[in-house]
């Protein structure tokens, strides 16, 4: 540091020489160059003592001295020096190469030969002090970086502790799934949650937040809390989807969202209601290509669209005994080999087929290892989540609560202007959810009511043909026709009645539309067998029949009545 009059005020220079004339000469030379703080030592022992007491910024050290030589002093000072770069400049009359080389070998940084050249010596001093200043600056930066890293490590430890206690699946529920989760960083941007339902089944969420690391994982906390609360209430998948979407829009910035698979498995473990938004296809493996099924995502991720734009339609999947359901995040299918070729869904399906041929079942760990073998890098660039469910009864005790709630009846009459409203079904479901005595089967009632309402609207009122949904292109055309027909709808009526009798453990639901009805045939039987194309169309009535104690038709098929047992 140089003052306005040229004095280098912050620099201490230790001059070590047994000859007074040399010390005086150097002191005067340095003083005239602006270095006013010079410390003199007459021998090696005194030099070491002054170094300990004064901590100089630079040392001018004579080589030949009585007692300890300059070589000896340099070695001891290097052992004592713990701070930044300390320049030691040897001052010597020795000119042989061997002596000059030794000056550097014992810890010297430079040397100046006697007699001194004032300009060369001061130039060397300035150069070495500049290096020391840079060294001090780097050390300060390193110290700040160490403190910052310590603070970050502490904060990460705190957050990790919170996450490890907040995002926890109960072992008795988790045991029904075979899971593999591998975060790309300390914190996982993927999420797997599972919780028992009051009806004896299981809810689950496989989520994949934008990006990875702590920023992505933050959204998992409100999602987990909401999911656990909703699961305990026994709500429908549609309600869970709406609430999670609302939370994510509220809490996350606009450029963050959560791709998700949200599902509910019934107590028998053979039926899954599934909502998929922005996730890879769910795969149901089989020993033959003909039996293998893939259920592709047909919704946007959560946290993007507002509630009135959110589609909560679910896929109803039936599983045979020990049939498996495989769900993964895109971190698994986007791993790439040395050529940059991603695994993709097709590659994962090939691995699954091979695993089924070899082992007749899929295990999450071995499936991940096979997929990893495709990857050219030692680490993954994204979080990986892999969940496998094997169809079997859910073995989670459910406390039977016989509700002493009041009997209630909700009659809802909807005309054309109501039916054209995009949120009308959600409003109907909310009214139905106010009935007492239905908490243990709330999701079942919502599924039944949703199917009956959609059947009444799409087939009774709009007269759409479900067979149009036989393939993906027809599926899109079907819903385009649905929206177009709704836009021009000017007459039509649907009457809904939900009657709950908690003391008898019964709920009666009827849906009547103003359409022409259909030829249903008295005593019609509904098949519940799995087919390879069951998810496309024609699944509504068999699904309702599987969920209800009894179902029958009135008024030429324009009215459907369902009886549901809340205590079975």
């Amino acid at each position: 540091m140089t003052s306005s009059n040229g004095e280098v005020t912050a620099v201490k220079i230790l001059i070590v020489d047994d000859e007074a004339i040399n010390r005086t000469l150097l002191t005067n030379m340095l003083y005239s160059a602006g270095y006013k703080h010079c410390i003199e030592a007459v021998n090696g022992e005194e030099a070491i003592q002054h170094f300990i007491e004064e901590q100089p910024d630079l040392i001018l050290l004579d080589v030949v001295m009585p007692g300890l030589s300059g070589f000896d002093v340099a070695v001891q000072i290097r052992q004592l020096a713990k701070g930044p770069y300390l320049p030691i400049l040897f001052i010597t009359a020795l000119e042989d190469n061997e002596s000059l080389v030794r000056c550097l070998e014992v810890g010297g940084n430079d040397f100046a030969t006697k007699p001194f050249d004032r300009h060369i010596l001061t130039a060397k001093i300035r150069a070495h002090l500049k290096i020391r200043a840079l060294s001090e600056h780097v050390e300060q930066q390193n110290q700040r970086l160490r403190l910052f890293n310590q603070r970050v490590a502490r904060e990460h430890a705190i957050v990790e502790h919170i996450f490890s206690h907040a995002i926890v699946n109960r072992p008795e529920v988790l045991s029904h799934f075979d899971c593999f989760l591998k975060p790309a960083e300390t914190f996982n941007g993927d999420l797997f949650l599972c919780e028992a339902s009051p009806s004896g089944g299981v809810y689950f969420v496989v989520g994949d937040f934008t990006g990875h690391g702590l920023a992505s994982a933050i959204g998992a906390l409100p999602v987990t809390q909401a999911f656990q609360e909703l699961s305990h209430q026994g709500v429908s998948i549609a309600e869970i989807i709406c609430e999670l979407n609302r939370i994510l829009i509220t809490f996350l910035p606009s450029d963050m969202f959560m791709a998700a698979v949200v599902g509910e498995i019934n107590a028998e473990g053979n039926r899954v209601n599934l909502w998929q938004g922005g996730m890879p296809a769910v795969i149901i493996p089989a020993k033959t290509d003909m039996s293998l099924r893939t259920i592709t995502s047909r919704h946007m991720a959560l946290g993007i669209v507002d509630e009135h734009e959110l589609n909560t339609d679910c896929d109803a999947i039936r599983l045979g005994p020990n049939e498996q359901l495989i769900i993964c995040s895109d971190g698994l299918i986007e791993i790439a080999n040395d050529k940059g070729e991603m695994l993709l869904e097709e590659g994962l399906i090939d691995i699954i087929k091979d695993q089924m041929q070899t082992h007749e079942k899929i295990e999450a760990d071995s499936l991940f290892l096979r997929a990893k073998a495709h990857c050219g890098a030692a680490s993954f660039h994204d979080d990986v989540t892999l969940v496998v469910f094997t169809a079997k009864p859910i073995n989670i005790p459910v406390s039977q609560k016989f509700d002493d709630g009041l009997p209630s009846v909700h009659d809802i009459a909807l005309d054309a202007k109501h039916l054209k409203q995009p949120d009308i079904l959600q409003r109907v479901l909310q009214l139905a959810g106010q009935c007492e005595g239905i908490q243990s089967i709330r999701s079942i009632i919502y599924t039944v009511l949703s199917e009956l309402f959609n059947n009444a609207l799409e087939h009774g009122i709009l007269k759409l043909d479900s067979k149009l949904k036989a393939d993906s292109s027809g599926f899109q055309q079907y819903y385009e026709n649905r929206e177009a027909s709704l836009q021009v709808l000017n007459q039509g009526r649907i009457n809904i009645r939900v009657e709950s009798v908690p003391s008898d453990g019964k709920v009666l639901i009827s849906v009547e539309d103003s359409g022409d009805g259909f030829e249903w045939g008295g005593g019609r039987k509904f098949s519940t067998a799995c087919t390879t194309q069951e998810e496309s169309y024609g699944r509504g009535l068999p699904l309702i029949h599987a969920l209800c104690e009894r179902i029958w038709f009135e008024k030429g098929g324009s009215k459907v009545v369902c009886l549901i047992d809340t205590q079975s």
Side-chain angles (χ1 to χ4, degrees), residues 259-280:
V261 174
V262 183
E264 181 186 9
I265 305 169
N266 67 341
E268 290 73 27
N270 59 8
R271 189 183 70 252
V272 184
N273 285 339
L274 207 65
W275 184 94
Q276 297 171 264
M279 290 282 280

Side-chain angles (χ1 to χ4, degrees), residues 202-205 227 230 234-244 261-265 272-276 312-314 426 442-443 446-447:
V202 170
Y203 293 101
F204 66 87
V205 172
F227 172 76
L230 293 170
V235 302
S236 67
I237 295 297
E239 288 179 291
I240 294 177
I241 294 301
C242 289
E243 181 61 16
L244 295 187
V261 174
V262 183
E264 181 186 9
I265 305 169
V272 184
N273 285 339
L274 207 65
W275 184 94
Q276 297 171 264
T312 60
D313 291 346
C314 295
Q426 289 303 316
R442 185 168 171 173
S443 65
Y446 278 38
T447 300

Side-chain angles (χ1 to χ4, degrees), residues 129-161:
L129 287 175
K130 183 177 291 187
I131 296 173
R132 177 176 172 83
L134 291 173
S135 175
E136 289 177 332
H137 178 70
V138 170
E139 179 58 30
Q140 291 171 0
Q141 295 283 64
N142 287 339
Q143 178 64 20
R144 284 195 287 266
L145 183 60
R146 283 192 292 270
L147 292 174
F148 174 78
N149 287 337
Q150 290 173 3
R151 185 168 66 251
V152 169
R154 173 59 178 161
E155 291 173 352
H156 272 215
I158 293 172
V159 175
E160 191 171 3
H161 177 81

Side-chain angles (χ1 to χ4, degrees), residues 456 460 493 495 511-518 520 553-560:
R493 174 182 46 80
N495 293 329
V511 176
E512 179 182 357
D513 63 71
S514 58
D516 300 330
F518 67 99
W520 55 276
F553 298 89
E554 298 176 356
K555 299 184 178 181
S558 63
K559 180 178 181 179
V560 186

Side-chain angles (χ1 to χ4, degrees), residues 17-19 22 62-64 91-95 112-116:
D17 198 309
D18 60 320
E19 294 185 14
N22 287 336
D62 188 19
V63 175
V64 180
I91 49 177
T92 178
L94 302 174
E95 294 184 354
T113 56
K114 301 175 184 177
F116 308 114

